[in-house]
Amino acid sequence: MKILFIGGTGTISAGITRELIKNPKIELYLINRGSRSEEFADKVTFIKGDINKEAEIAKKIEGLQFDVVADFIGYLPEHIERDYRLFKGKTKQFMYISSASAYQKPLNDYRITEATPVSNPYWEYSRNKIACEDYLIKLYRNEGFPVTIIRPSHTYDERSVPVGVRGEKGSWQVIKRILEGKPVIIHGDGTSLWTMTHACDFAKGFIGLMGNFRAIGETIHITSDETLTWNQIYQCIANALGVELHAYHVASEFLAAVSKYDFIGGLIGDKANSVVFDNSKLKRLVPDFVATKHFEEGIKETIDYVLTHEECQKEDQAFDAWCNYVIEVLEEAKNTLANKKQCTQLM
């Protein structure tokens, strides 16, 4: 089977690439600009270049035919329009990685199936993904373009610790706060439900859908069946670090209102909502799919990796100061109101 990935070395795609290169029957091509290429050197065929330079890429793939083409980095409709021009008539299956954040917000039902409506007025990223999906479905219906749309939810690998509230430089500063015994902001009261999926489990479902004729024209989400509260997620992280967690709960609406960070999209339009995914459709299409990496195990591996790789430890002093300030302001408000209550009682 001849496969082409646009991307192929990111959080979601690297795990799939690792599995595919173990199979001698797979001929894997990656289009990217050389990011993390050393890991897969001599194991895949690199087409080095910027996918946005369409004419250049068109020349490099001239004469090639693929069983599967997958785009992991397409975020805007113009990206998908470009893909169509490049790969029309050159692939038996085009797989587009969308996002489970596209599902309806606010939710009518926390149990999500592929039949759940897509609508997210809070997050432009999600609306763009929906627009990409709409374009591809029209191509499938009107021209028979062999599309399969994949919706991952919160997927993590060994390089990234998944958290709900973080700054622009990633999650390391949150980990640092936990290690230093500082209070760590958790959105809401920490009891909303969430699903964490390890990249190795996502890879199992994705590979099962590759070359699967029953997946053509379908939209499928790939997630773990394990559901956790955010309090449990942060506790697992603290346990993996071997320290006590000092949780500080802050309403998601408050965070979105006062923060310079994108908490309207990332929280109100995504992580603040309770979600439980029904993977029945995936399991019908890929009967042997089972997500086996429980979060407690997966996050321990991630923490071990991050603690031993300095490139994963990007400090974010601005975010750290912001957390301190938010907590300080809320504690002052709490004390002020408590004192006012006492004065009222004495009157």
Side-chain angles (χ1 to χ4, degrees):
M1 183 181 287
K2 187 180 288 189
I3 298 164
L4 171 68
F5 286 172
I6 304 170
T9 60
T11 298
I12 289 177
S13 56
I16 304 169
T17 299
R18 290 190 190 106
E19 289 302 312
L20 291 177
I21 60 179
K22 297 175 185 177
N23 187 341
K25 297 181 180 179
I26 298 293
E27 187 178 352
L28 181 59
Y29 293 72
L30 302 185
I31 294 180
N32 65 32
R33 289 176 287 189
S35 174
R36 295 185 73 210
S37 59
E38 68 282 352
E39 180 181 353
F40 306 116
D42 303 323
K43 298 174 183 176
V44 304
T45 300
F46 281 98
I47 301 175
K48 191 173 181 179
D50 184 346
I51 187 65
N52 293 306
K53 295 180 179 179
E54 186 176 335
E56 175 186 314
I57 296 299
K59 283 186 178 181
K60 292 186 176 184
I61 64 172
E62 191 174 356
L64 293 175
Q65 292 285 328
F66 302 97
D67 295 292
V68 178
V69 171
D71 187 345
F72 291 90
I73 58 175
Y75 298 106
L76 300 170
E78 50 260 41
H79 298 160
I80 307 307
E81 293 167 8
R82 171 207 65 209
D83 289 350
Y84 177 62
R85 291 191 296 268
L86 284 170
F87 299 107
K88 178 184 179 182
K90 297 181 76 67
T91 184
K92 297 175 183 176
Q93 183 183 31
F94 179 84
M95 301 181 76
Y96 173 62
I97 289 66
S98 183
S99 171
S101 68
Y103 286 119
Q104 181 186 61
K105 305 293 185 306
L107 289 162
N108 288 331
D109 190 331
Y110 70 94
R111 295 164 296 187
I112 293 179
T113 73
E114 286 82 358
T116 299
V118 289
S119 173
N120 193 332
Y122 304 102
W123 205 359
E124 184 180 12
Y125 166 81
S126 304
R127 294 194 296 275
N128 285 332
K129 287 289 191 178
I130 293 169
C132 291
E133 289 189 17
D134 288 344
Y135 178 77
L136 287 170
I137 290 298
K138 287 178 183 176
L139 287 179
Y140 169 70
R141 290 174 178 166
N142 297 335
E143 301 186 30
F145 190 55
V147 172
T148 299
I149 295 170
I150 308 296
R151 292 177 183 150
S153 186
H154 204 151
T155 306
Y156 70 102
D157 67 0
E158 76 282 358
R159 295 168 294 164
S160 59
V161 180
V163 296
V165 179
R166 64 177 181 82
E168 295 170 345
K169 296 183 180 180
S171 58
W172 169 248
Q173 199 65 42
V174 178
I175 305 313
K176 197 166 183 286
R177 289 183 70 88
I178 296 174
L179 283 169
E180 294 173 350
K182 293 181 178 180
V184 175
I185 293 175
I186 301 176
H187 59 277
D189 62 2
T191 61
S192 59
L193 302 175
W194 198 245
T195 299
M196 293 291 187
T197 306
H198 195 279
C200 69
D201 283 327
F202 182 90
K204 296 175 190 175
F206 189 89
I207 291 170
L209 294 169
M210 292 173 56
N212 188 332
F213 74 93
R214 296 180 301 160
I216 303 298
E218 297 288 350
T219 299
I220 308 111
H221 55 237
I222 303 175
T223 77
S224 169
D225 290 320
E226 182 182 26
T227 302
L228 301 163
T229 67
W230 280 101
N231 286 332
Q232 290 174 316
I233 290 166
Y234 278 85
Q235 188 60 59
C236 284
I237 294 171
N239 290 346
L241 291 166
V243 298
E244 184 179 354
L245 175 67
H246 298 280
Y248 196 91
H249 296 100
V250 181
S252 299
E253 290 83 359
F254 180 85
L255 291 171
V258 304
S259 175
K260 65 177 182 178
Y261 305 106
D262 182 22
F263 292 148
I264 293 177
L267 284 182
I268 306 304
D270 196 33
K271 298 178 185 67
N273 299 271
S274 283
V275 293
V276 177
F277 291 94
D278 181 340
N279 286 300
S280 299
K281 184 173 183 179
L282 173 63
K283 292 173 182 177
R284 286 196 304 271
L285 294 168
V286 187
D288 60 349
F289 172 79
V290 180
T292 57
K293 184 81 72 174
H294 290 292
F295 185 69
E296 187 174 14
E297 174 192 1
I299 200 61
K300 179 66 169 62
E301 295 174 0
T302 299
I303 291 292
D304 289 345
Y305 185 94
V306 168
L307 291 179
T308 55
H309 289 74
E310 291 187 4
E311 68 272 16
C312 299
Q313 302 172 17
K314 296 180 181 178
E315 294 201 18
D316 191 343
Q317 294 181 356
F319 175 72
D320 196 54
W322 178 82
C323 289
N324 292 337
Y325 182 67
V326 168
I327 292 169
E328 179 185 340
V329 167
L330 289 174
E331 286 299 300
E332 286 179 0
K334 188 189 300 182
N335 292 333
T336 299
L337 290 172
N339 291 334
K340 185 173 182 180
K341 179 181 179 182
Q342 290 177 353
C343 292
T344 303
Q345 290 174 341
L346 292 173
M347 291 175 64

